[in-house]
Amino acid sequence: MLDNKASIIIFLVNNYECNEVINFIENDIKTLYSCIRVNRSFCRTFIPILWKNPFKFISDDKRLVQLFSTLIRCLHQIDKKWLENEYSIQVDKFHTSKVYFKYHTFIKDFELNPLQRAMRLWATEHLAGKKGKNDQIYDSSTKRRIIRKKVNKINHHIGNLLFNKGGQYGSLNIYYNDLLSGPRSLLDICAIKNYKQSLVDVNKLSLGLFNKNSMNLIPIITYNFQGLQNALSKNNIQHLQILINTQKDHSVLTGDLIDFIQSQGQLKSLSTNVFWKADATKSFLDALKMHSTSITFLRIEDEDISNSSNQLLLS
């Protein structure tokens, strides 16, 4: 039985522009779920809305694993065969529901961090139970190392699924932190065949790094960003967010980020913390000055820099 809000949505869709209704409820997960149960037409209309950024609706690990299982079900047959041969996992016999859509093609807002977390949780649940040779029981350290290796292999197949289509994403949220699986098991978008075609429509980019433990993520993150920097159109990025939180040396990454800011042609909003050291302040302000006629929103998480930046934009 439909709830009252879903009944109202049916009335609105039948009497008003569908896009206006969708904009009104696109963040209301309860109503969206009600709408996909109305009929096939509503299902075809609202499933893409739910899957535009499916991770934003996920609040617990169990549902995160279920969502990733759905993505696994969407893999090409050759990739499913690899899972079966490599780990004796028969994807089509999962307890999760069958896939009735190519759900991955609906994703427009890509988020790296929850995807990597979901992948690790899924690998832990489905692959960690495998015993070693002679049926020895793995200790926790060995199990974590095995999971990292398996995540590294799965990256390739999930990457092909998500980035080998072309013209798909409108925004990227690339956030790395110490809780991910380690530098060698991070998904590198630029290692995927035809990945550039999936980035041509990106106009919103969020870049984040939290690295304070003993593992140094800076070199691999810098390398990955350089690939993205070369792939993203200089005229497309209109909204840019940067958050770098580390005490490790990241001078090369700093230079790349400042160059990236300066190279954009239509930047309208910038939100950032002070990721640069004092000797790079002038370079940042020079980059910012390039957008003094286009930028309409600026937030910098440092009082002194914010004041000088605002004065620059208003001068």
Side-chain angles (χ1 to χ4, degrees):
M1 184 175 180
L2 297 176
D3 58 31
N4 291 334
K5 188 179 288 187
S7 299
I8 294 172
I9 297 302
I10 295 173
F11 170 80
L12 292 174
V13 169
N14 289 333
N15 291 276
Y16 296 92
E17 288 290 334
C18 187
N19 287 338
E20 294 181 8
V21 178
I22 289 173
N23 291 336
F24 180 69
I25 66 168
E26 64 178 350
N27 294 314
D28 187 341
I29 186 171
K30 183 178 179 181
T31 301
L32 288 171
Y33 273 121
S34 296
C35 287
I36 65 174
R37 297 197 299 268
V38 173
N39 54 40
R40 290 183 180 180
S41 177
F42 266 58
C43 188
R44 287 193 295 268
T45 298
F46 289 99
I47 280 291
I49 309 305
L50 274 168
W51 275 85
K52 180 182 178 182
N53 182 356
F55 292 106
K56 75 177 180 180
F57 296 119
I58 303 299
S59 58
D60 60 82
D61 289 350
K62 182 179 179 180
R63 292 188 62 203
L64 202 56
V65 171
Q66 291 173 343
L67 188 150
F68 192 78
S69 292
T70 300
L71 289 176
I72 289 290
R73 274 188 169 275
C74 292
L75 287 173
H76 303 299
Q77 201 59 42
I78 190 171
D79 295 309
K80 292 180 182 179
K81 194 67 177 177
W82 171 82
L83 275 174
E84 183 176 345
N85 293 337
E86 187 82 6
Y87 299 119
S88 299
I89 291 179
Q90 294 180 303
V91 174
D92 293 329
K93 293 185 178 180
F94 277 5
H95 295 302
T96 51
S97 301
K98 292 182 179 180
V99 290
Y100 297 99
F101 298 91
K102 294 181 179 180
Y103 295 102
H104 59 287
T105 64
F106 299 139
I107 301 176
K108 302 301 179 185
D109 302 331
F110 175 79
E111 295 201 38
L112 176 66
N113 189 276
L115 175 69
Q116 295 271 217
R117 176 168 173 76
M119 192 183 305
R120 184 173 179 82
L121 289 169
W122 184 89
T124 301
E125 179 173 318
H126 290 278
L127 308 180
K130 309 297 182 183
K131 295 181 180 179
K133 295 180 180 179
N134 302 320
D135 289 336
Q136 76 266 30
I137 303 299
Y138 295 132
D139 58 37
S140 58
S141 177
T142 302
K143 185 177 289 187
R144 285 195 298 270
R145 186 168 63 253
I146 291 171
I147 291 300
R148 282 198 297 269
K149 290 181 179 179
K150 292 176 178 178
V151 166
N152 192 26
K153 291 183 178 180
I154 296 172
N155 271 334
H156 171 74
H157 301 276
I158 291 296
N160 277 336
L161 179 73
L162 298 177
F163 285 94
N164 198 10
K165 287 293 179 181
Q168 187 170 351
Y169 299 106
S171 74
L172 295 180
N173 186 347
I174 309 297
Y175 178 69
Y176 299 96
N177 65 20
D178 293 335
L179 299 179
L180 294 179
S181 304
R184 287 189 296 274
S185 58
L186 295 176
L187 175 65
D188 180 9
I189 295 173
C190 300
I192 308 302
K193 184 179 180 181
N194 298 326
Y195 76 96
K196 290 184 179 180
Q197 297 176 33
S198 294
L199 305 180
V200 294
D201 294 330
V202 172
N203 61 33
K204 182 179 181 181
L205 177 64
S206 297
L207 298 168
L209 169 65
F210 183 92
N211 183 204
K212 291 195 172 183
N213 66 10
S214 58
M215 186 177 296
N216 189 1
L217 296 176
I218 304 300
I220 188 67
I221 302 307
T222 301
Y223 175 81
N224 288 354
F225 176 68
Q226 287 171 345
L228 279 177
Q229 188 176 10
N230 293 329
L232 292 170
S233 171
K234 293 182 178 180
N235 293 320
N236 267 15
I237 302 301
Q238 298 178 13
H239 308 285
L240 179 61
Q241 182 176 17
I242 301 172
L243 179 61
I244 307 296
N245 193 338
T246 183
Q247 298 300 318
K248 297 179 174 64
D249 177 61
H250 57 286
S251 54
V252 175
L253 179 60
T254 293
D256 289 341
L257 289 171
I258 291 176
D259 288 344
F260 184 75
I261 292 171
Q262 183 165 348
S263 69
Q264 298 310 302
Q266 302 183 49
L267 195 62
K268 295 181 179 179
S269 70
L270 173 64
S271 177
T272 182
N273 67 332
V274 181
F275 59 83
W276 58 91
K277 292 185 178 180
D279 59 357
T281 298
K282 184 179 184 302
S283 296
F284 172 78
L285 293 176
D286 287 343
L288 198 59
K289 190 173 183 179
M290 299 293 294
H291 308 288
S292 59
T293 59
S294 64
I295 200 165
T296 59
F297 176 85
L298 173 65
R299 181 173 65 190
I300 303 177
E301 294 182 6
D302 183 281
E303 184 175 354
D304 293 335
I305 296 296
S306 293
N307 288 338
S308 59
S309 300
N310 287 330
Q311 291 172 6
L312 174 68
L313 288 173
L314 294 172
S315 63

